[in-house]
Amino acid sequence: MGSFTAAARSIGTSPSSASKAISRLEAIFGAKLLRRTTRTLTLTHEGEALYKWVRPILAQIEQAGDVLQFNENTSGHLRVSLPGEFGRQLLAPIFESFMAAHPNISLQLDMSDRHADVVRDGYDAVYRVGYADENSLVSRTLTHLEMAVVASPSFASKHGNSIGIDTLRELPFARYSIDGRVYAVQLADGTEFVPKGRLDLDTATAIRQAAKSGLGLAYVIKLIVQADLARGTLVELVPSTMLKPMPFQVLHTLGKMPTQRLQVFTDFVAETIKELQSASTSSFKM
């Protein structure tokens, strides 16, 4: 679960204050809420039961904070994590528009496809493609991203420029794999399958390059490969409507109200992605 040091840092207090607050709660409820060792903290059965009941209340407080804290005189430092290749689509707008519009905000942007730990790594928020499974975080879906299965023209010519799902299951992929887990291809009908392949990679950048080199199919966010599709260096093998759109989410610590600067930055990211999606759709139709 972590430590008092990391938890205290995430809410802007000291480890001793956090420890005393837990002790007061345990005294009020007459139950042990945490199991403590020298290295970790875990919830007891009573702690899990209390967390289940208070989580909706904390979520409502978060939403109230979004409304009450907003103003135009936003300042301070933000540390956030963006997904690697997809996050690069946002860099120019952030550098050229957001930073200019908010001269009193400083940013630390970490770019990685690996899932950063919000509390342990001290982030104000992390932005992720896909579904969050951490119950200790608050998530907000900013948009849904269209997915694509693409390959090089040479690879496509061997297998046909349009293939069905049954064929797709049998073809080799340059697979997205994090910490030994290969991510499944998710279909619009709710089913999914783990792709076959002999090349596992942990970044969308590498997967895109592997596909362009003819080593297999790539299952990627369509925005990432839109320019390749337009140039013809990659081709789309199945309609995007056959694939399930992926949510793009922002996650931050439960019980910690979003700051003004985080709210402003998140709104900017959400609006920028929608503009990129709209521009991509328009150019593709042309």
Side-chain angles (χ1 to χ4, degrees):
M1 179 179 175
S3 66
F4 274 123
T5 300
R9 183 171 61 243
S10 74
I11 60 175
T13 189
S14 66
S16 61
S17 295
S19 179
K20 289 176 183 177
I22 294 297
S23 297
R24 287 195 295 270
L25 282 175
E26 290 177 334
I28 291 171
F29 290 104
K32 198 74 173 175
L33 302 178
L34 292 173
R35 300 185 190 91
R36 314 181 194 196
T37 70
T38 56
R39 294 187 176 182
T40 62
L41 298 172
T42 57
L43 288 170
T44 62
H45 177 74
E46 292 78 9
E48 290 178 351
L50 177 61
Y51 174 76
K52 178 181 177 181
W53 282 104
V54 303
R55 187 169 189 255
I57 298 171
L58 293 174
Q60 291 178 351
I61 294 173
E62 296 276 6
Q63 294 170 4
D66 289 348
V67 175
L68 296 177
Q69 291 187 9
F70 182 80
N71 69 53
E72 295 180 355
N73 299 316
T74 309
S75 63
H77 183 70
L78 270 180
R79 185 184 182 209
V80 300
S81 174
L82 292 172
E85 180 70 10
F86 181 66
R88 289 185 181 89
Q89 313 291 315
L90 305 173
L91 292 183
I94 289 172
F95 297 159
E96 297 167 11
S97 298
F98 181 82
M99 298 299 285
H102 301 282
N104 295 321
I105 293 180
S106 60
L107 283 177
Q108 178 179 338
L109 299 179
D110 293 346
M111 313 287 291
S112 175
D113 285 348
R114 292 184 176 274
H115 288 181
D117 188 301
V118 180
V119 175
R120 184 191 63 211
D121 298 331
Y123 287 104
D124 292 285
V126 299
Y127 297 81
R128 291 183 189 165
V129 177
Y131 296 91
D133 55 5
E134 291 96 336
N135 292 327
S136 61
L137 300 177
V138 174
S139 64
R140 171 188 164 195
T141 298
L142 305 182
T143 189
H144 283 81
L145 300 169
E146 192 175 7
M147 303 297 291
V149 172
V150 299
S152 68
S154 61
F155 187 98
S157 67
K158 296 177 184 178
H159 301 281
N161 288 332
S162 181
I163 61 176
I165 295 300
D166 290 340
T167 303
L168 196 67
R169 294 174 185 269
E170 300 303 319
L171 293 177
F173 279 72
R175 308 189 302 180
Y176 183 56
S177 176
I178 297 290
D179 296 328
R181 174 195 169 194
V182 175
Y183 281 70
V185 176
Q186 300 195 29
L187 306 176
D189 63 5
T191 63
E192 61 181 47
F193 68 91
V194 176
K196 296 182 177 181
R198 62 189 181 95
L199 184 61
D200 292 346
L201 303 162
D202 66 354
T203 69
T205 303
I207 291 172
R208 172 174 165 266
Q209 185 58 54
K212 291 174 69 174
S213 300
L215 294 178
L217 303 176
Y219 172 60
V220 292
I221 300 165
K222 193 168 184 177
L223 268 175
I224 292 175
V225 296
Q226 196 68 63
D228 294 300
L229 294 174
R231 288 192 294 264
T233 52
L234 287 173
V235 295
E236 198 168 4
L237 293 192
V238 299
S240 292
T241 52
M242 294 175 64
L243 303 171
K244 183 178 181 179
M246 287 291 105
F248 182 65
Q249 298 183 317
V250 56
L251 298 94
H252 62 86
T253 308
L254 180 66
K256 180 181 178 183
M257 289 186 181
T259 60
Q260 297 172 32
R261 54 189 176 272
L262 178 56
Q263 183 65 32
V264 168
F265 182 75
T266 298
D267 289 345
F268 177 85
V269 167
E271 185 60 31
T272 299
I273 293 173
K274 291 175 182 176
E275 290 174 358
L276 289 172
Q277 289 175 313
S278 178
S280 175
T281 302
S282 298
S283 62
F284 188 74
K285 287 180 179 179
M286 292 174 62

